[in-house]
């Protein structure tokens, strides 16, 4: 006879997923003094295949908010006057993310996982302002760069339309899935 914990019917489940992520964009501008992370929301759906009592493979489709907050100083030719300006910038890039994660149950429904992901850009927004309030611009990256160029400020802001990488994840399984 087998112990119930040793018995397992391979299970395929699906359900909602919600969480938070802390993201940072590497220092992509010269003169960066501070590069702080953005706390963002992850929300979507999950499909999970449980291979045994401790291992499962999971894929998701999630909306993921990412970005950073920077303080940087740059040399500008503002109204034909060379100046060094200090900017504060909120850079927000949101993606639809599709990871495939191998997870291992640790104890009491806590798990650890790792795997690759691919993400597709849905939003790229920036809010830039100088400490003295002389310049304040907000909007899509491209719109903000055009506004700044009109003022004599050259920035090259870019966001990947397709992003990919690896993730490491730790969490608690609530078992709200539908079998």
């Amino acid at each position: 006879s087998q112990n119930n914990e040793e018995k397992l019917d391979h299970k395929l489940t699906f359900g909602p997923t919600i969480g938070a992520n802390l993201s940072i964009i590497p220092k992509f501008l010269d003169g960066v003094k501070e590069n702080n992370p953005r706390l963002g929301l992850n929300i979507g759906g999950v499909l999970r295949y449980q291979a045994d009592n401790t291992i499962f493979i999971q894929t998701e489709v999630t909306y993921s908010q990412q970005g950073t907050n920077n303080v940087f100083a740059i040399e500008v030719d503002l109204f034909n006057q060379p100046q060094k300006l200090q900017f504060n910038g909120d850079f927000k890039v949101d993606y639809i993310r599709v990871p495939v994660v191998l997870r291992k149950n640790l104890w009491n429904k806590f798990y650890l996982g790792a795997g690759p992901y691919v993400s597709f850009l849905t939003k790229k927004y920036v809010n830039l302002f100088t400490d003295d309030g002389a310049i304040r611009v907000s909007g899509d990256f491209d719109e903000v760069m055009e506004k700044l160029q009109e003022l004599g400020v050259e920035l090259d802001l870019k966001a990947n339309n397709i992003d990919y990488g690896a993730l490491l994840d730790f969490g608690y399984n609530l078992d709200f899935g539908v079998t």
Side-chain angles (χ1 to χ4, degrees), residues 91-105:
F91 301 91
K92 298 177 181 182
V93 287
D94 297 351
Y95 288 91
I96 298 295
R97 179 183 283 184
V98 183
V100 177
V101 181
L102 179 63
R103 288 191 171 157
K104 174 149 178 64
N105 289 330

mmCIF file with all atom_site columns, all heavy atoms in Angstrom, residues 91-105:
data_model
loop_
_atom_site.group_PDB
_atom_site.id
_atom_site.type_symbol
_atom_site.label_atom_id
_atom_site.label_alt_id
_atom_site.label_comp_id
_atom_site.label_asym_id
_atom_site.label_entity_id
_atom_site.label_seq_id
_atom_site.pdbx_PDB_ins_code
_atom_site.Cartn_x
_atom_site.Cartn_y
_atom_site.Cartn_z
_atom_site.occupancy
_atom_site.B_iso_or_equiv
_atom_site.pdbx_formal_charge
_atom_site.auth_seq_id
_atom_site.auth_comp_id
_atom_site.auth_asym_id
_atom_site.auth_atom_id
_atom_site.pdbx_PDB_model_num
ATOM 1   N N   . PHE A 1 91  ? 10.714 56.556 -15.415 1.00 0.00 ? 91  PHE A N   1
ATOM 2   C CA  . PHE A 1 91  ? 10.662 55.821 -16.674 1.00 0.00 ? 91  PHE A CA  1
ATOM 3   C C   . PHE A 1 91  ? 9.812  54.574 -16.443 1.00 0.00 ? 91  PHE A C   1
ATOM 4   O O   . PHE A 1 91  ? 10.151 53.734 -15.624 1.00 0.00 ? 91  PHE A O   1
ATOM 5   C CB  . PHE A 1 91  ? 12.070 55.435 -17.126 1.00 0.00 ? 91  PHE A CB  1
ATOM 6   C CG  . PHE A 1 91  ? 12.965 56.615 -17.317 1.00 0.00 ? 91  PHE A CG  1
ATOM 7   C CD1 . PHE A 1 91  ? 13.752 57.087 -16.280 1.00 0.00 ? 91  PHE A CD1 1
ATOM 8   C CD2 . PHE A 1 91  ? 13.007 57.269 -18.534 1.00 0.00 ? 91  PHE A CD2 1
ATOM 9   C CE1 . PHE A 1 91  ? 14.571 58.190 -16.455 1.00 0.00 ? 91  PHE A CE1 1
ATOM 10  C CE2 . PHE A 1 91  ? 13.830 58.376 -18.717 1.00 0.00 ? 91  PHE A CE2 1
ATOM 11  C CZ  . PHE A 1 91  ? 14.613 58.833 -17.675 1.00 0.00 ? 91  PHE A CZ  1
ATOM 12  N N   . LYS A 1 92  ? 8.693  54.489 -17.151 1.00 0.00 ? 92  LYS A N   1
ATOM 13  C CA  . LYS A 1 92  ? 7.767  53.373 -16.976 1.00 0.00 ? 92  LYS A CA  1
ATOM 14  C C   . LYS A 1 92  ? 7.612  52.636 -18.293 1.00 0.00 ? 92  LYS A C   1
ATOM 15  O O   . LYS A 1 92  ? 7.243  53.233 -19.299 1.00 0.00 ? 92  LYS A O   1
ATOM 16  C CB  . LYS A 1 92  ? 6.412  53.887 -16.505 1.00 0.00 ? 92  LYS A CB  1
ATOM 17  C CG  . LYS A 1 92  ? 6.488  54.575 -15.159 1.00 0.00 ? 92  LYS A CG  1
ATOM 18  C CD  . LYS A 1 92  ? 5.161  55.149 -14.735 1.00 0.00 ? 92  LYS A CD  1
ATOM 19  C CE  . LYS A 1 92  ? 5.318  55.844 -13.389 1.00 0.00 ? 92  LYS A CE  1
ATOM 20  N NZ  . LYS A 1 92  ? 4.046  56.388 -12.913 1.00 0.00 ? 92  LYS A NZ  1
ATOM 21  N N   . VAL A 1 93  ? 7.915  51.351 -18.263 1.00 0.00 ? 93  VAL A N   1
ATOM 22  C CA  . VAL A 1 93  ? 7.730  50.494 -19.434 1.00 0.00 ? 93  VAL A CA  1
ATOM 23  C C   . VAL A 1 93  ? 6.919  49.284 -18.982 1.00 0.00 ? 93  VAL A C   1
ATOM 24  O O   . VAL A 1 93  ? 7.278  48.610 -18.029 1.00 0.00 ? 93  VAL A O   1
ATOM 25  C CB  . VAL A 1 93  ? 9.071  50.072 -20.083 1.00 0.00 ? 93  VAL A CB  1
ATOM 26  C CG1 . VAL A 1 93  ? 9.696  51.222 -20.820 1.00 0.00 ? 93  VAL A CG1 1
ATOM 27  C CG2 . VAL A 1 93  ? 10.045 49.509 -19.073 1.00 0.00 ? 93  VAL A CG2 1
ATOM 28  N N   . ASP A 1 94  ? 5.797  49.060 -19.639 1.00 0.00 ? 94  ASP A N   1
ATOM 29  C CA  . ASP A 1 94  ? 4.925  47.951 -19.281 1.00 0.00 ? 94  ASP A CA  1
ATOM 30  C C   . ASP A 1 94  ? 4.912  46.936 -20.412 1.00 0.00 ? 94  ASP A C   1
ATOM 31  O O   . ASP A 1 94  ? 4.944  47.308 -21.591 1.00 0.00 ? 94  ASP A O   1
ATOM 32  C CB  . ASP A 1 94  ? 3.507  48.456 -19.012 1.00 0.00 ? 94  ASP A CB  1
ATOM 33  C CG  . ASP A 1 94  ? 3.451  49.402 -17.812 1.00 0.00 ? 94  ASP A CG  1
ATOM 34  O OD1 . ASP A 1 94  ? 4.465  49.536 -17.101 1.00 0.00 ? 94  ASP A OD1 1
ATOM 35  O OD2 . ASP A 1 94  ? 2.389  50.003 -17.593 1.00 0.00 ? 94  ASP A OD2 1
ATOM 36  N N   . TYR A 1 95  ? 4.869  45.679 -20.024 1.00 0.00 ? 95  TYR A N   1
ATOM 37  C CA  . TYR A 1 95  ? 4.966  44.583 -20.985 1.00 0.00 ? 95  TYR A CA  1
ATOM 38  C C   . TYR A 1 95  ? 3.891  43.532 -20.737 1.00 0.00 ? 95  TYR A C   1
ATOM 39  O O   . TYR A 1 95  ? 3.407  43.381 -19.614 1.00 0.00 ? 95  TYR A O   1
ATOM 40  C CB  . TYR A 1 95  ? 6.322  43.873 -20.851 1.00 0.00 ? 95  TYR A CB  1
ATOM 41  C CG  . TYR A 1 95  ? 7.497  44.649 -21.367 1.00 0.00 ? 95  TYR A CG  1
ATOM 42  C CD1 . TYR A 1 95  ? 8.225  45.495 -20.536 1.00 0.00 ? 95  TYR A CD1 1
ATOM 43  C CD2 . TYR A 1 95  ? 7.904  44.511 -22.688 1.00 0.00 ? 95  TYR A CD2 1
ATOM 44  C CE1 . TYR A 1 95  ? 9.326  46.196 -21.017 1.00 0.00 ? 95  TYR A CE1 1
ATOM 45  C CE2 . TYR A 1 95  ? 8.995  45.199 -23.172 1.00 0.00 ? 95  TYR A CE2 1
ATOM 46  C CZ  . TYR A 1 95  ? 9.706  46.038 -22.332 1.00 0.00 ? 95  TYR A CZ  1
ATOM 47  O OH  . TYR A 1 95  ? 10.788 46.727 -22.816 1.00 0.00 ? 95  TYR A OH  1
ATOM 48  N N   . ILE A 1 96  ? 3.560  42.783 -21.778 1.00 0.00 ? 96  ILE A N   1
ATOM 49  C CA  . ILE A 1 96  ? 2.861  41.506 -21.646 1.00 0.00 ? 96  ILE A CA  1
ATOM 50  C C   . ILE A 1 96  ? 3.979  40.473 -21.595 1.00 0.00 ? 96  ILE A C   1
ATOM 51  O O   . ILE A 1 96  ? 4.761  40.349 -22.532 1.00 0.00 ? 96  ILE A O   1
ATOM 52  C CB  . ILE A 1 96  ? 1.908  41.225 -22.832 1.00 0.00 ? 96  ILE A CB  1
ATOM 53  C CG1 . ILE A 1 96  ? 0.820  42.285 -22.920 1.00 0.00 ? 96  ILE A CG1 1
ATOM 54  C CG2 . ILE A 1 96  ? 1.322  39.814 -22.713 1.00 0.00 ? 96  ILE A CG2 1
ATOM 55  C CD1 . ILE A 1 96  ? -0.143 42.332 -21.760 1.00 0.00 ? 96  ILE A CD1 1
ATOM 56  N N   . ARG A 1 97  ? 4.081  39.768 -20.481 1.00 0.00 ? 97  ARG A N   1
ATOM 57  C CA  . ARG A 1 97  ? 5.180  38.827 -20.253 1.00 0.00 ? 97  ARG A CA  1
ATOM 58  C C   . ARG A 1 97  ? 4.674  37.392 -20.316 1.00 0.00 ? 97  ARG A C   1
ATOM 59  O O   . ARG A 1 97  ? 3.618  37.080 -19.789 1.00 0.00 ? 97  ARG A O   1
ATOM 60  C CB  . ARG A 1 97  ? 5.810  39.089 -18.884 1.00 0.00 ? 97  ARG A CB  1
ATOM 61  C CG  . ARG A 1 97  ? 6.943  38.120 -18.567 1.00 0.00 ? 97  ARG A CG  1
ATOM 62  C CD  . ARG A 1 97  ? 7.495  38.343 -17.208 1.00 0.00 ? 97  ARG A CD  1
ATOM 63  N NE  . ARG A 1 97  ? 8.351  39.519 -17.253 1.00 0.00 ? 97  ARG A NE  1
ATOM 64  C CZ  . ARG A 1 97  ? 9.055  39.937 -16.228 1.00 0.00 ? 97  ARG A CZ  1
ATOM 65  N NH1 . ARG A 1 97  ? 8.987  39.326 -15.078 1.00 0.00 ? 97  ARG A NH1 1
ATOM 66  N NH2 . ARG A 1 97  ? 9.819  40.991 -16.343 1.00 0.00 ? 97  ARG A NH2 1
ATOM 67  N N   . VAL A 1 98  ? 5.476  36.531 -20.961 1.00 0.00 ? 98  VAL A N   1
ATOM 68  C CA  . VAL A 1 98  ? 5.151  35.104 -21.074 1.00 0.00 ? 98  VAL A CA  1
ATOM 69  C C   . VAL A 1 98  ? 6.368  34.300 -20.586 1.00 0.00 ? 98  VAL A C   1
ATOM 70  O O   . VAL A 1 98  ? 7.296  34.059 -21.358 1.00 0.00 ? 98  VAL A O   1
ATOM 71  C CB  . VAL A 1 98  ? 4.786  34.719 -22.533 1.00 0.00 ? 98  VAL A CB  1
ATOM 72  C CG1 . VAL A 1 98  ? 4.391  33.255 -22.615 1.00 0.00 ? 98  VAL A CG1 1
ATOM 73  C CG2 . VAL A 1 98  ? 3.688  35.620 -23.070 1.00 0.00 ? 98  VAL A CG2 1
ATOM 74  N N   . PRO A 1 99  ? 6.363  33.922 -19.305 1.00 0.00 ? 99  PRO A N   1
ATOM 75  C CA  . PRO A 1 99  ? 7.459  33.093 -18.792 1.00 0.00 ? 99  PRO A CA  1
ATOM 76  C C   . PRO A 1 99  ? 7.106  31.603 -18.823 1.00 0.00 ? 99  PRO A C   1
ATOM 77  O O   . PRO A 1 99  ? 5.934  31.233 -18.856 1.00 0.00 ? 99  PRO A O   1
ATOM 78  C CB  . PRO A 1 99  ? 7.586  33.562 -17.341 1.00 0.00 ? 99  PRO A CB  1
ATOM 79  C CG  . PRO A 1 99  ? 6.183  33.923 -16.957 1.00 0.00 ? 99  PRO A CG  1
ATOM 80  C CD  . PRO A 1 99  ? 5.538  34.459 -18.228 1.00 0.00 ? 99  PRO A CD  1
ATOM 81  N N   . VAL A 1 100 ? 8.130  30.776 -18.802 1.00 0.00 ? 100 VAL A N   1
ATOM 82  C CA  . VAL A 1 100 ? 7.991  29.337 -18.576 1.00 0.00 ? 100 VAL A CA  1
ATOM 83  C C   . VAL A 1 100 ? 8.921  29.025 -17.417 1.00 0.00 ? 100 VAL A C   1
ATOM 84  O O   . VAL A 1 100 ? 10.131 29.224 -17.507 1.00 0.00 ? 100 VAL A O   1
ATOM 85  C CB  . VAL A 1 100 ? 8.379  28.510 -19.820 1.00 0.00 ? 100 VAL A CB  1
ATOM 86  C CG1 . VAL A 1 100 ? 8.286  27.019 -19.511 1.00 0.00 ? 100 VAL A CG1 1
ATOM 87  C CG2 . VAL A 1 100 ? 7.495  28.874 -20.997 1.00 0.00 ? 100 VAL A CG2 1
ATOM 88  N N   . VAL A 1 101 ? 8.322  28.574 -16.306 1.00 0.00 ? 101 VAL A N   1
ATOM 89  C CA  . VAL A 1 101 ? 9.073  28.446 -15.056 1.00 0.00 ? 101 VAL A CA  1
ATOM 90  C C   . VAL A 1 101 ? 9.001  27.020 -14.530 1.00 0.00 ? 101 VAL A C   1
ATOM 91  O O   . VAL A 1 101 ? 7.929  26.412 -14.504 1.00 0.00 ? 101 VAL A O   1
ATOM 92  C CB  . VAL A 1 101 ? 8.495  29.418 -13.990 1.00 0.00 ? 101 VAL A CB  1
ATOM 93  C CG1 . VAL A 1 101 ? 9.276  29.319 -12.696 1.00 0.00 ? 101 VAL A CG1 1
ATOM 94  C CG2 . VAL A 1 101 ? 8.499  30.841 -14.508 1.00 0.00 ? 101 VAL A CG2 1
ATOM 95  N N   . LEU A 1 102 ? 10.145 26.511 -14.104 1.00 0.00 ? 102 LEU A N   1
ATOM 96  C CA  . LEU A 1 102 ? 10.211 25.237 -13.395 1.00 0.00 ? 102 LEU A CA  1
ATOM 97  C C   . LEU A 1 102 ? 10.219 25.586 -11.915 1.00 0.00 ? 102 LEU A C   1
ATOM 98  O O   . LEU A 1 102 ? 11.089 26.339 -11.454 1.00 0.00 ? 102 LEU A O   1
ATOM 99  C CB  . LEU A 1 102 ? 11.479 24.473 -13.782 1.00 0.00 ? 102 LEU A CB  1
ATOM 100 C CG  . LEU A 1 102 ? 11.672 23.126 -13.091 1.00 0.00 ? 102 LEU A CG  1
ATOM 101 C CD1 . LEU A 1 102 ? 10.551 22.156 -13.466 1.00 0.00 ? 102 LEU A CD1 1
ATOM 102 C CD2 . LEU A 1 102 ? 13.020 22.540 -13.438 1.00 0.00 ? 102 LEU A CD2 1
ATOM 103 N N   . ARG A 1 103 ? 9.225  25.085 -11.175 1.00 0.00 ? 103 ARG A N   1
ATOM 104 C CA  . ARG A 1 103 ? 9.096  25.421 -9.755  1.00 0.00 ? 103 ARG A CA  1
ATOM 105 C C   . ARG A 1 103 ? 9.212  24.178 -8.897  1.00 0.00 ? 103 ARG A C   1
ATOM 106 O O   . ARG A 1 103 ? 8.781  23.100 -9.282  1.00 0.00 ? 103 ARG A O   1
ATOM 107 C CB  . ARG A 1 103 ? 7.759  26.095 -9.482  1.00 0.00 ? 103 ARG A CB  1
ATOM 108 C CG  . ARG A 1 103 ? 7.710  27.495 -10.016 1.00 0.00 ? 103 ARG A CG  1
ATOM 109 C CD  . ARG A 1 103 ? 6.503  28.220 -9.517  1.00 0.00 ? 103 ARG A CD  1
ATOM 110 N NE  . ARG A 1 103 ? 6.591  29.632 -9.864  1.00 0.00 ? 103 ARG A NE  1
ATOM 111 C CZ  . ARG A 1 103 ? 5.551  30.422 -9.953  1.00 0.00 ? 103 ARG A CZ  1
ATOM 112 N NH1 . ARG A 1 103 ? 4.348  29.957 -9.684  1.00 0.00 ? 103 ARG A NH1 1
ATOM 113 N NH2 . ARG A 1 103 ? 5.690  31.685 -10.265 1.00 0.00 ? 103 ARG A NH2 1
ATOM 114 N N   . LYS A 1 104 ? 9.769  24.396 -7.714  1.00 0.00 ? 104 LYS A N   1
ATOM 115 C CA  . LYS A 1 104 ? 9.913  23.320 -6.731  1.00 0.00 ? 104 LYS A CA  1
ATOM 116 C C   . LYS A 1 104 ? 9.237  23.750 -5.448  1.00 0.00 ? 104 LYS A C   1
ATOM 117 O O   . LYS A 1 104 ? 9.518  24.823 -4.924  1.00 0.00 ? 104 LYS A O   1
ATOM 118 C CB  . LYS A 1 104 ? 11.380 23.027 -6.478  1.00 0.00 ? 104 LYS A CB  1
ATOM 119 C CG  . LYS A 1 104 ? 11.592 22.024 -5.356  1.00 0.00 ? 104 LYS A CG  1
ATOM 120 C CD  . LYS A 1 104 ? 12.817 21.202 -5.559  1.00 0.00 ? 104 LYS A CD  1
ATOM 121 C CE  . LYS A 1 104 ? 13.071 20.223 -4.437  1.00 0.00 ? 104 LYS A CE  1
ATOM 122 N NZ  . LYS A 1 104 ? 12.087 19.200 -4.261  1.00 0.00 ? 104 LYS A NZ  1
ATOM 123 N N   . ASN A 1 105 ? 8.319  22.901 -4.958  1.00 0.00 ? 105 ASN A N   1
ATOM 124 C CA  . ASN A 1 105 ? 7.702  23.152 -3.660  1.00 0.00 ? 105 ASN A CA  1
ATOM 125 C C   . ASN A 1 105 ? 8.753  22.958 -2.576  1.00 0.00 ? 105 ASN A C   1
ATOM 126 O O   . ASN A 1 105 ? 9.485  21.970 -2.580  1.00 0.00 ? 105 ASN A O   1
ATOM 127 C CB  . ASN A 1 105 ? 6.536  22.189 -3.417  1.00 0.00 ? 105 ASN A CB  1
ATOM 128 C CG  . ASN A 1 105 ? 5.351  22.501 -4.300  1.00 0.00 ? 105 ASN A CG  1
ATOM 129 O OD1 . ASN A 1 105 ? 5.122  23.647 -4.674  1.00 0.00 ? 105 ASN A OD1 1
ATOM 130 N ND2 . ASN A 1 105 ? 4.591  21.477 -4.641  1.00 0.00 ? 105 ASN A ND2 1
#
